[in-house]
Amino acid sequence: MKMRSAVFILTLALAGCGFGRVPAPPTVFDLGLDAAPVPALPSREPIAMTFQAVPSLSDTSVIWRVGDSAAPKAYATYRWASSPTELLRQRIAERLSRQGPVLNERVSLQTPQLQVFLSQFEQVFAADGSASEGRILLQAVLVQGRTVLGQKRIVAQADAPTQDAAGGVAALRQASNDAADQLAQWLAATLKPAPKAGG
């Protein structure tokens, strides 16, 4: 009984719920400026990128869950500035552009196209609420013409500094950078480097 009460109290605290109170305006987060170091990778030819996600990541909710629960929840008074889908797409495009142009559409069928599908972008708590992490899961497929050059499953996670929405956002910022860097490193290993000027 005590365990159930503790879980219930934790759920209310995490969701930011209150009884008999006028709800405060939501606090809005984004992924911050892209100021973290990036891996030193060779230049490459332009690529096109498409980005899709599960429907639950198409709005601005800040999502959390406990362990492997099949019941994700959203903080009541916290929101993303844009959908997680759009925020992560922008961060990945920013980081990949360090090695070469990232286009919205292919210039020709021979332009490599990176197809990204995002299935998880959330704060995941330990069962007792004592710790949490930001966790991102995405699948990437690289095609050129009608040929699949490769595919990559990327899992990025980072520990949250605090067990609340702000801590989850901080962890997801770090995990977003990690996911983008994993993609960049995979592309560098999969695609031929761009020819050197005058070479």
Side-chain angles (χ1 to χ4, degrees), residues 5-30:
S5 298
V7 170
F8 181 67
I9 292 171
L10 174 64
T11 299
L12 288 180
L14 290 173
C17 294
F19 296 101
R21 295 187 305 181
V22 176
T27 301
V28 179
F29 295 103
D30 61 23

Side-chain angles (χ1 to χ4, degrees), residues 125-194:
F125 283 87
D128 62 0
S130 63
S132 66
E133 65 181 19
R135 189 180 300 171
I136 293 173
L137 174 61
L138 56 83
Q139 181 77 23
V141 178
L142 185 65
V143 298
Q144 186 171 28
R146 297 183 179 180
T147 302
V148 176
L149 300 180
Q151 59 182 355
K152 177 75 171 177
R153 181 177 184 269
I154 290 178
V155 179
Q157 50 201 33
D159 292 337
T162 56
Q163 309 318 311
D164 53 14
V169 166
L172 284 165
R173 285 174 179 165
Q174 185 176 337
S176 295
N177 291 341
D178 181 32
D181 290 344
Q182 287 187 53
L183 264 179
Q185 291 166 341
W186 174 65
L187 288 174
T190 307
L191 291 171
K192 294 179 180 179

Side-chain angles (χ1 to χ4, degrees), residues 49 51 82 85-95:
M49 184 175 72
F51 206 99
S82 300
T85 306
E86 179 61 19
L87 289 173
L88 188 60
R89 185 198 68 78
Q90 291 175 355
R91 178 51 46 90
I92 288 175
E94 288 171 3
R95 293 223 148 195

Side-chain angles (χ1 to χ4, degrees), residues 12-144:
L12 288 180
L14 290 173
C17 294
F19 296 101
R21 295 187 305 181
V22 176
T27 301
V28 179
F29 295 103
D30 61 23
L31 294 180
L33 297 176
D34 184 13
V38 298
L41 298 171
S43 299
R44 54 158 174 76
E45 296 288 350
I47 61 169
M49 184 175 72
T50 64
F51 206 99
Q52 295 179 305
V54 295
S56 61
L57 297 176
S58 63
D59 65 23
T60 59
S61 298
V62 179
I63 300 173
W64 62 273
R65 78 174 72 219
V66 177
D68 295 326
S69 167
K73 303 182 185 300
Y75 286 101
T77 57
Y78 299 91
R79 294 285 184 270
W80 291 109
S82 300
S83 69
T85 306
E86 179 61 19
L87 289 173
L88 188 60
R89 185 198 68 78
Q90 291 175 355
R91 178 51 46 90
I92 288 175
E94 288 171 3
R95 293 223 148 195
L96 296 187
S97 66
R98 310 286 179 93
Q99 285 76 52
V102 178
L103 312 174
N104 290 325
E105 297 181 2
R106 288 190 285 186
V107 176
S108 72
L109 286 178
Q110 292 308 306
T111 302
Q113 184 182 59
L114 177 65
Q115 301 171 353
V116 182
F117 185 82
L118 176 65
S119 57
Q120 188 177 25
F121 188 95
E122 61 194 27
Q123 183 179 12
V124 181
F125 283 87
D128 62 0
S130 63
S132 66
E133 65 181 19
R135 189 180 300 171
I136 293 173
L137 174 61
L138 56 83
Q139 181 77 23
V141 178
L142 185 65
V143 298
Q144 186 171 28

